Amino acid sequence: MTAQPSQWIRNFVDGAFVEPDPAHAFDAVDPATGVAYARVHEADEQIVDRAVRAARRSLADGWANRSVGDRAAILRRAADLIEERFDDFVAAELADTGKPVTQARSLDVARAPMNFRAYADMVSATGQESYVTELADGRRALNYAVRKPLGVVAIIVPWNLPLLLLTWKVAPALACGNAVVVKPSEDTPGTASLLAEVLAEAGLPRGVYNVVHGFGADSAGAYLTEHPQIDGVTFTGSSATGTHVMKTVAPRVRPVSLELGGKNAAIVFDDVDVDEAVDGLSRSIFTNTGQVCLCTERVYVQRSIFDAVVAGLAAKAASLRLGVPMDGATTTGPLISQKHRDKVLGYLDLAVAEGATVVCGGGVPEMSDELDGGSWIEPTLWTGLDNSHRVMREEIFGPVAGLVPFDTEDEAIALANDTEYGLASVVWTSDLRRGHRVAAQMNVGLSWVNTWYLRDLRAPFGGVGLSGIGREGGESSLHFYTEPTNVCIQL
Ligand code: NAD
């Protein structure tokens, strides 16, 4: 399908959009229809280099030394402007992802101004570490840590929550006085370029926020992480790419924050209100068509309520409405691409080959003509497999989950922790003591009890094992995006 040449998604370098080069471009495809809606200018090595140099210049031009109050004011203006252009951001997000408009409005776009305001508040409120040293010989000294920006930060993000995850990194990086070069996913380029317009209008000096579009290997992603003038990399994406990024940055020993994949477990004890747990599980399995790093793909249910939970979840899956993103009644969008759907379908075939009993779904749904070319998939549940099977160990990243019965609390904890990943978990119980006890034993960065994806932006966010290194959120972000210099003065 040929896109309209007038619809370009451009790179943004040194305060201006770069004239697109039709010889270096790829299609932006709406995954709900499979139709290309714009052309994206793929940044070559030169454009990436210009972006990094512009970022470095902006630091020297004074951005790094602007007062915290100035920086916070720009972030707050950016938040206001995103709200003024809310519908533009929603439209861009829908075109890129095909997600339901209700979700884009309430989660994806709504979170962007929250991210900017939260970090404006946090950077304004934070203090400095300080200690008075008292030595045995009577000498005393005052230590205080001056926090300085890292410098030029490369921000690489995935396609599942494009604007939310981008602003989650851009806001604290700018709040701390860094300049950034962002590389959005090739599948979801729209909102990063739109954000460039907003940040410029908010008064961000030229060169502080740059966008380079393209792919990973032999493209903008690799050119950026390999660039010798990058002072740190913050990456959200798959564990395989994260490993690669870490290796690329390692020879120059720069800080890396990795927010990676998950194979997240939920544990459901038989003391729960089954309807309430099923509601929560349905959210944690099917939200964003299962394409949230925090989504549940393994559900361990205490045996006496196993059949009731399976039946309840199957009914929930049947009630989901796949459809046109702009329809307020649509609950569930497509997967991000045909390529990703092939991957998910491959896992569903594997589940059957491994002996799964498919409870619901398992294939491609019949859609209307308009949506026929989209990458739609049926919400899918299975039983009959355990942790020895690949589909219970590898991240699938779709609206899918395997359900497994258990008998004792210790068994459930062991099953949930039996994974190379360690991002998120949920415990469903009405026993308060059990909730605290089990949640603390989950080997994850984010352990929820009787809820899922309830986020306080001040709380640490991240994972262990294959799910990542480091934490962002609140003070953790302020620490990642700065380096302390300890000043010691003898008193
Ligand atoms: P991906 O790793 O394929 O791509 C992520 C980004 O990295 C994209 O912008 C891509 O172009 C870029 N990239 C790819 N190869 C690169 C290379 N060699 N050098 C530099 N950049 C490169 O991931 P994806 O498929 O876009 O996203 C889905 C994955 O992200 C899932 O595994 C999901 O769990 C994970 N995720 C994690 C979190 C979290 O907070 N932990 C949040 C969202 C998504």
Side-chain angles (χ1 to χ4, degrees), residues 156-160 165 183-186 214-217 221-222 225 235-239 241 244-245 259-262 293 395 397 423 461 467:
I156 301 181
V157 282
W159 44 257
N160 60 328
L165 292 171
K183 213 293 283 165
S185 167
E186 55 273 33
F215 305 83
T225 47
F235 172 86
T236 302
S238 64
S239 303
T241 311
H244 185 81
V245 167
E259 302 190 319
L260 309 178
C293 53
E395 184 187 47
F397 219 50
L423 188 56
F461 182 97
S467 295

Side-chain angles (χ1 to χ4, degrees), residues 68-221:
V68 169
D70 273 5
R71 295 200 300 255
I74 291 174
L75 297 193
R76 291 200 176 94
R77 272 206 294 283
D80 294 345
L81 290 168
I82 293 170
E83 281 170 350
E84 278 176 29
R85 296 189 60 184
F86 200 83
D87 290 343
D88 294 346
F89 278 98
V90 169
E93 201 75 316
L94 257 53
D96 273 344
T97 63
K99 62 181 68 188
V101 66
T102 46
Q103 185 200 307
R105 294 189 76 86
S106 63
L107 175 67
D108 296 79
V109 181
R111 181 65 69 76
M114 281 170 72
N115 281 335
F116 281 105
R117 291 197 182 109
Y119 284 102
D121 290 348
M122 283 187 253
V123 78
S124 304
T126 193
Q128 280 174 342
E129 220 178 330
S130 81
Y131 303 96
V132 173
T133 315
E134 293 177 330
L135 299 179
D137 64 8
R139 280 180 301 157
R140 297 174 74 239
L142 171 65
N143 292 269
Y144 60 92
V146 181
R147 290 219 156 252
K148 301 174 190 160
L150 283 181
V152 178
V153 177
I155 298 183
I156 301 181
V157 282
W159 44 257
N160 60 328
L161 301 165
L163 180 66
L164 183 156
L165 292 171
L166 177 67
T167 52
W168 168 244
K169 292 176 181 298
V170 169
L174 299 184
C176 293
N178 298 280
V180 301
V181 181
V182 312
K183 213 293 283 165
S185 167
E186 55 273 33
D187 290 317
T188 53
T191 45
S193 288
L194 206 49
L195 188 63
E197 294 176 22
V198 158
L199 289 172
E201 198 182 335
L204 195 71
R206 60 188 272 194
V208 178
Y209 174 85
N210 304 272
V211 183
V212 292
H213 289 293
F215 305 83
D218 299 319
S219 186

Side-chain angles (χ1 to χ4, degrees), residues 282-324:
S282 171
R283 276 188 63 229
S284 75
I285 297 168
F286 299 125
T287 293
N288 207 41
T289 317
Q291 302 167 118
V292 180
C293 53
L294 310 166
C295 274
T296 304
E297 291 190 0
R298 300 181 289 141
V299 186
Y300 302 104
V301 187
Q302 205 151 19
R303 199 172 300 274
S304 67
I305 58 164
F306 185 75
D307 291 343
V309 170
V310 172
L313 267 179
K316 283 280 176 196
S319 74
L320 297 174
R321 271 196 52 184
L322 282 59
V324 178

Side-chain angles (χ1 to χ4, degrees), residues 5-28:
S6 60
Q7 293 174 280
W8 275 103
I9 296 176
R10 296 157 206 258
N11 299 296
F12 187 79
V13 175
D14 202 13
F17 284 102
V18 179
E19 189 56 35
D21 175 0
H24 291 100
F26 57 95
D27 282 339

